Amino acid sequence: MLVLLKLKPSPPGLEAEYRTIFTAGSLVFLQELVSAFDEEVDKILRLRISRKTHLDLSGDLPGFCEVTAPVRSDPTWRVRPVPQRLQRRHVDVGDLAPCDTQIFRDAPKISQAPVLMLRPRAWNMVEHNMMVKGKEVPGPLCDFGFLMFHCGKLLFDSESGPFFYLSKVESYMEARLWNNIFLWTEQKLGLPVGSIKATVLIENVLSAFEMEEILYELKDHSAGLNCGIWDYSASFVNKFGHRGAFLLPDRSKYVNMEKLFLRSYMDLLVQTCHRRGALATGGMAALLLPQDRDSAPYRAALANVTRLKLLEIKAGVDGFMVYDLGLIEPMQKLFQLHSQGDNQMHQLRDDLTVTPDDLLCMPVGGVTLYGLKYNIAVGILFIDAWLKGKGHFFYRGQVEDSATAEISRSQVWQWIRHQTQLEDDSRVVTRGLVTELTQEVMGELKVVTRCHTVREEQRLLTAAAMFLEVVQKRDFPEFLTTYLNLDHTFLSSQAKRHEGGAAGDMPRPKL
């Protein structure tokens, strides 16, 4: 008998969890799911490459697609209404990968029943521990498949799901693939069509031109669209970073939601969603509140978050994410003060016109020494966290994750590529300057990461060396997480295996 699915053995100490998740039934289900859609996954990834190649060779810029104009011009279609539990989404708690169950336990009491919305890995991620028909499994199919098999019907029967966030979607063709996966799964598990609901993160400049088409493809399964500042900004470097006209200035000084290209993106997202009866949600407030509620720093931090999130509420969003649980109550009150009802879908923004030029207009500004060092620090700290098996870390009063790591390393790569001049002292951003500044920030980063052993210091040095490697590449690595996952898997596994081991276990990188 031909064995179609191969699964690596359980990690030590997780045998019970392994047996619970990887049952015979769940493995058969996943093998069938992957077999049904594996070729389609490969196709959309090749389409991404083809699209990027066309833009590079032609010098063209994206615009609203003529082929799908009938979808945009048809005023009659709407997305299917979401269940009652999703009608009021003023504040989502934005957890960060890998899943942190503690933050879920710390959220509202079980009597208020927080709703879990899984964010499967993006299409560019691969599950290395499982193979179907001789190929490693697409990461999102693994994440989605196991949750649906074990929990899909339970969540539906309890009116609490199954709900998802879909990240890194670049086109309506990818939304169509997800919709087909949802339909196949609902049929397979005996669920009504439309049981699965998904919020699509519009975090790529190309998908910003296809918002209506994405909603249309998912109209039975849509929970709306979401916008976030850093992955979206990083996508400009991803797609156009080699073009001088798309030099993105210092994000710490010149990039925020008040700038035209980001404000237009949010306005268009709100207008598109509300026109089609869908929810529009904003990005995550990453600021961490100081512990002392009576202190000036606490009041300043809360005022800063309030100002930025009030802009989103006035733009018409139906909700947004926070990380710090202390922000839930004040942000809910902010919505109550400045909006009416469960959501703002009555705000149609019919007076608004957003053009391709608006969406592609780069903000004016340069590069500061502070911003360059900050980006270097965030990039290194994310890789260090990655090697420890974590998806986020805390730095200078904020939570940082893959999104901020993406924009950080993207900007450093782009500034080196265009030999950008610093505002402070007219130095040019070069490989040598970035290496020199990396050495300067390492002292602070050792404190931030609490390096107490030679081993921990070695891991941080490894992270710094990997960061320098990625920002000096001739061709821009499309996703930092893919680069780490595929090209540096051995470093991650070695770091975990030898955690706390002897100093000689891993070579000491030189900067």
Side-chain angles (χ1 to χ4, degrees):
M1 177 181 176
L2 181 64
V3 179
L4 300 179
L5 186 145
K6 291 283 188 179
L7 181 66
K8 285 187 178 180
S10 167
L14 294 175
E15 290 81 6
E17 292 83 352
Y18 185 94
R19 289 192 298 270
T20 300
I21 296 171
F22 302 118
T23 62
S26 71
L27 293 177
V28 169
F29 176 81
L30 197 78
Q31 177 252 305
E32 293 177 347
L33 174 65
V34 172
S35 297
F37 293 103
D38 188 64
E39 288 186 10
E40 292 299 312
V41 173
D42 285 344
K43 184 182 296 183
I44 63 160
L45 292 174
R46 287 193 292 269
L47 283 173
R48 284 185 180 183
I49 295 170
S50 174
R51 197 175 185 188
K52 175 68 164 62
T53 301
H54 169 76
L55 290 171
D56 288 346
L57 292 175
S58 66
D60 290 347
L61 292 172
F64 299 107
C65 181
E66 293 183 9
V67 174
T68 56
V71 171
R72 296 193 303 276
S73 61
D74 180 357
T76 62
W77 65 268
R78 297 287 187 277
V79 303
R80 183 180 293 198
V82 294
Q84 185 61 39
R85 299 211 65 191
L86 290 184
Q87 288 286 333
R88 187 182 183 92
R89 281 177 65 187
H90 288 167
V91 182
D92 283 358
V93 178
D95 196 9
L96 304 158
C99 186
D100 180 357
T101 54
Q102 190 58 45
I103 199 168
F104 187 67
R105 294 191 186 104
D106 291 343
K109 295 179 181 179
I110 195 65
S111 61
Q112 298 169 18
V115 175
L116 178 65
M117 301 179 72
L118 176 72
R119 183 183 300 191
R121 279 169 285 184
W123 290 123
N124 55 290
M125 299 298 288
V126 174
E127 176 52 63
H128 297 297
N129 297 297
M130 182 179 296
M131 300 184 82
V132 170
K133 297 182 179 178
K135 291 173 62 180
E136 290 179 321
V137 170
L141 293 185
C142 177
D143 302 338
F144 170 82
F146 282 121
L147 182 137
M148 285 303 302
F149 180 83
H150 289 293
C151 307
K153 192 170 190 309
L154 175 64
L155 288 168
F156 178 75
D157 290 342
S158 61
E159 301 180 347
S160 298
F163 305 140
F164 296 89
Y165 269 100
L166 304 180
S167 62
K168 302 292 188 296
V169 172
E170 292 195 12
S171 73
Y172 71 91
M173 295 297 292
E174 297 181 23
R176 180 179 296 174
L177 172 58
W178 269 117
N179 193 69
N180 289 337
I181 290 169
F182 294 162
L183 289 170
W184 183 93
T185 303
E186 287 165 344
Q187 190 276 329
K188 200 76 175 176
L189 297 179
L191 295 171
V193 170
S195 302
I196 300 168
K197 297 295 182 186
T199 300
V200 175
L201 287 85
I202 303 296
E203 51 192 354
N204 185 282
V205 59
L206 302 185
S207 63
F209 290 89
E210 300 184 14
M211 293 186 201
E212 288 204 75
E213 293 91 331
I214 289 170
L215 284 178
Y216 181 81
E217 295 296 340
L218 285 161
K219 59 181 180 292
D220 285 335
H221 297 102
S222 178
L225 304 178
N226 171 271
C227 59
I229 182 171
W230 296 131
D231 272 319
Y232 184 74
S233 297
S235 76
F236 279 77
V237 182
N238 187 330
K239 301 303 181 187
F240 314 118
H242 59 289
R243 307 187 195 188
F246 284 89
L247 184 67
L248 194 64
D250 192 331
R251 72 181 178 100
S252 63
K253 186 176 181 179
Y254 297 111
V255 181
N256 55 59
M257 291 304 295
E258 296 170 277
K259 301 302 180 183
L260 178 62
F261 84 114
L262 290 173
R263 183 57 188 259
S264 300
Y265 149 67
M266 177 179 286
D267 285 343
L268 182 61
L269 186 143
V270 171
Q271 182 193 57
T272 300
C273 286
H274 291 179
R275 179 188 295 156
R276 302 304 183 179
L279 294 169
T281 52
M284 185 172 71
L287 205 63
L288 301 172
L289 295 175
Q291 293 296 314
D292 184 359
R293 293 194 172 197
D294 296 322
S295 67
Y298 178 91
R299 291 191 294 272
L302 183 57
N304 186 36
V305 175
T306 299
R307 182 184 71 83
L308 294 173
K309 290 305 175 185
L310 186 56
L311 288 174
E312 295 186 23
I313 293 173
K314 290 184 175 180
V317 301
D318 302 296
F320 45 68
M321 290 182 279
V322 301
Y323 180 81
D324 192 321
L325 299 181
L327 285 169
I328 294 176
E329 185 177 350
M331 292 302 103
Q332 286 176 332
K333 288 182 178 177
L334 195 66
F335 261 103
Q336 292 166 6
L337 286 172
H338 297 280
S339 68
Q340 295 180 341
D342 288 345
N343 52 63
Q344 299 198 87
M345 282 197 285
H346 58 279
Q347 289 198 26
L348 299 179
R349 307 295 302 274
D350 288 334
D351 59 327
L352 180 70
T353 300
V354 175
T355 68
D357 287 344
D358 294 331
L359 292 170
L360 297 171
C361 178
M362 289 292 92
V364 175
V367 179
T368 68
L369 180 62
Y370 172 86
L372 178 55
K373 292 172 74 171
Y374 191 91
N375 279 345
I376 291 170
V378 169
I380 293 171
L381 290 173
F382 177 77
I383 296 173
D384 180 72
W386 178 277
L387 293 175
K388 290 186 287 189
K390 296 183 179 295
H392 70 286
F393 59 94
F394 305 109
Y395 183 58
R396 297 189 181 181
Q398 292 200 127
V399 60
E400 307 277 0
D401 64 350
S402 62
T404 50
E406 283 288 13
I407 187 62
S408 295
R409 64 96 184 186
S410 297
Q411 289 206 301
V412 176
W413 179 91
Q414 191 184 38
W415 295 342
I416 293 173
R417 169 60 60 91
H418 293 288
Q419 301 177 69
T420 313
Q421 197 172 59
L422 293 178
E423 291 181 348
D424 308 73
D425 53 22
S426 298
R427 281 185 291 176
V428 172
V429 181
T430 63
R431 174 189 299 190
L433 178 60
V434 171
T435 302
E436 176 187 325
L437 295 177
T438 297
Q439 293 170 335
E440 283 186 26
V441 303
M442 288 301 285
E444 178 197 2
L445 301 190
K446 289 175 185 177
V447 175
V448 171
T449 57
R450 299 178 181 176
C451 286
H452 298 307
T453 66
V454 173
R455 175 65 192 173
E456 289 168 340
E457 184 177 343
Q458 287 181 330
R459 185 180 57 232
L460 185 63
L461 286 167
T462 298
M466 291 166 68
F467 174 79
L468 289 174
E469 175 185 302
V470 79
V471 299
Q472 294 172 17
K473 285 288 185 183
R474 176 180 175 86
D475 296 314
F476 182 78
E478 187 174 15
F479 296 108
L480 177 60
T481 48
T482 300
Y483 188 76
L484 297 174
N485 190 256
L486 297 182
D487 293 18
H488 292 286
T489 306
F490 72 98
L491 280 175
S492 181
S493 61
Q494 190 177 46
K496 293 172 187 174
R497 184 163 55 250
H498 296 297
E499 188 67 43
D505 286 339
M506 190 167 74
R508 186 186 183 96
K510 298 191 188 311
L511 296 181

